[in-house]
Amino acid sequence: MPTAQPSPTSPVRDILAHPRGGPTVLRIVLGTHLRRLRESCGITREAAGEAIRGSHAKISRLELGRVGSKERDIADLLTLYGVLDEERRGQFLALARQASTPGWWQKYNDVVPSWFETLIGLEEAASVIRTYEVQFVPGLLQTAEYARACIRLGNPRASERMVERRVELRMERQKLLYKPHAPRLWAVIDEAALRRPLGGVEAMRGQIRHLREMAELPNVTLQIAPFRIGGLSAAGGPITVLRFQEPDLPDIVYLEQLNSALYLDKREDVEDYLAVMDSLCATAEPHGKTGDFLDGLRFLDGLKNTL
């Protein structure tokens, strides 16, 4: 049986001492370490799956952090991978227990699909969140009234209770921007999103005032991509790129669709989207001009009679 040598410093122990991001990130970290152990021992996913009475697909989901894990399965995998040191095994099992703890967003599981739970957990752990929106103001920067209009638009069959639950969740997500170790939010908003009075004139006025205030936060960079710059490199749709302080977490690209989302973490994919984001930021109005741009949207004053 191959034996994995204990390392002098344990990244598993480090993340247990300073957890950040809740169960989503802990599952990803756990899966990453399990994949490295398996590959270092030359064991296939099929063989690993048999060891825990599962399939190679189960191992794949576990290593990607897509699912929680039973301590029994983790213990069996550690034995298979030659991790016999009791202290090190204990660290992995403790990580598995923490990774199975429900996040704060679980109380909204009646309105949160599983594919979106992952984004919430990643936001909690991110050190930098870069996002581009062409049609809407980014969710982390929305007012409750504007969010309500967005949610009704995207969920026309939802009850008022479900709409309000989603609004409440969105407001809860935004609290991470005010935490002591808040991530840096770098957002680029297309002018089209600001010219569309979603929710009516008053809602849009309030949203623009809110953007003006958010742009003053030290951890928020807000840029506007005006019509006059012509075509944009991200013409295909909204993009979010999340970066983490944890060395075991790669940058992740989030692409939301109507009823699902894609999470890309392959280096070549991430680098392509980072190049797009860099181009957008270089083309859009600089952050220092955002306040003046928002102040110039006085056209809203004249819309009341046309709606």
Side-chain angles (χ1 to χ4, degrees):
M1 177 185 295
T3 301
Q5 297 297 319
S7 57
T9 60
S10 171
V12 174
R13 183 180 59 207
D14 291 345
I15 195 169
L16 284 171
H18 304 285
R20 177 174 176 174
T24 301
V25 168
L26 296 179
R27 286 200 306 266
I28 295 174
V29 171
L30 175 62
T32 298
H33 283 285
L34 291 174
R35 174 180 56 78
R36 290 175 180 171
L37 287 171
R38 178 182 61 77
E39 292 175 346
S40 69
C41 296
I43 296 173
T44 65
R45 287 193 179 93
E46 287 77 9
E50 290 177 4
I52 61 171
R53 304 151 294 279
S55 64
H56 73 281
K58 180 177 180 178
I59 294 296
S60 179
R61 291 193 296 270
L62 179 60
E63 292 181 350
L64 290 171
R66 302 284 172 78
V67 294
S69 55
K70 297 178 181 178
E71 285 190 51
R72 173 188 172 187
D73 289 343
I74 301 302
D76 289 345
L77 288 175
L78 292 174
T79 300
L80 179 65
Y81 301 155
V83 180
L84 306 178
D85 178 77
E86 287 302 319
E87 181 181 358
R88 196 171 179 213
R89 287 173 68 88
Q91 291 169 2
F92 274 99
L93 294 175
L95 182 57
R97 284 192 294 272
Q98 288 196 21
S100 299
T101 303
W104 63 261
W105 52 90
Q106 290 296 318
K107 63 182 180 180
Y108 296 101
N109 59 11
D110 56 329
V111 294
V112 180
S114 58
W115 54 265
F116 193 72
E117 283 186 24
T118 301
L119 175 66
I120 300 174
L122 293 175
E123 286 177 343
E124 291 282 317
S127 58
V128 179
I129 302 172
R130 300 180 68 181
T131 186
Y132 166 70
E133 279 284 356
V134 62
Q135 194 171 8
F136 304 106
V137 170
L140 290 175
L141 296 174
Q142 292 179 4
T143 64
E145 192 172 1
Y146 183 92
R148 191 170 292 110
C150 289
I151 291 166
R152 284 173 176 156
L153 184 65
N155 302 271
R157 294 183 295 176
S159 66
E160 278 303 302
R161 177 184 175 277
M162 300 301 275
V163 169
E164 291 306 314
R165 290 277 289 162
R166 290 174 185 266
V167 171
E168 184 180 336
L169 169 64
R170 195 160 300 182
M171 297 302 103
E172 285 290 324
R173 280 173 58 206
Q174 294 177 5
K175 291 181 180 179
L176 70 88
L177 295 176
Y178 301 94
K179 291 182 178 180
H181 301 288
R184 178 188 177 192
L185 176 63
W186 190 349
V188 179
I189 306 177
D190 195 281
E191 183 176 350
L194 303 177
R195 294 280 179 183
R196 183 176 292 108
L198 190 60
V201 173
E202 290 304 320
M204 202 61 202
R205 284 179 180 153
Q207 179 61 68
I208 290 174
R209 284 194 298 268
H210 183 64
L211 287 176
R212 188 74 165 83
E213 295 168 0
M214 294 300 292
E216 299 296 326
L217 292 180
N219 59 314
V220 174
T221 299
L222 179 58
Q223 294 181 258
I224 310 299
F227 290 143
R228 61 176 177 75
I229 64 176
L232 296 172
S233 55
I239 301 169
T240 297
V241 183
L242 302 109
R243 174 161 292 176
F244 310 89
Q245 291 181 341
E246 290 296 334
D248 295 313
L249 287 175
D251 291 351
I252 294 177
V253 176
Y254 170 77
L255 304 174
E256 187 169 325
Q257 301 172 341
L258 182 61
N259 291 312
S260 63
L262 295 176
Y263 293 88
L264 309 178
D265 61 3
K266 291 184 178 179
R267 182 180 297 272
E268 56 269 28
D269 291 334
V270 172
E271 288 180 349
D272 286 343
Y273 280 97
L274 282 174
V276 168
M277 291 298 297
D278 288 342
S279 177
L280 280 169
C281 294
T283 307
E285 290 287 338
H287 174 73
K289 294 186 177 181
T290 295
D292 291 339
F293 189 96
L294 295 174
D295 290 343
L297 290 173
R298 301 302 184 189
F299 77 98
L300 290 173
D301 292 338
L303 280 181
K304 186 177 296 185
N305 296 329
T306 65
L307 293 180

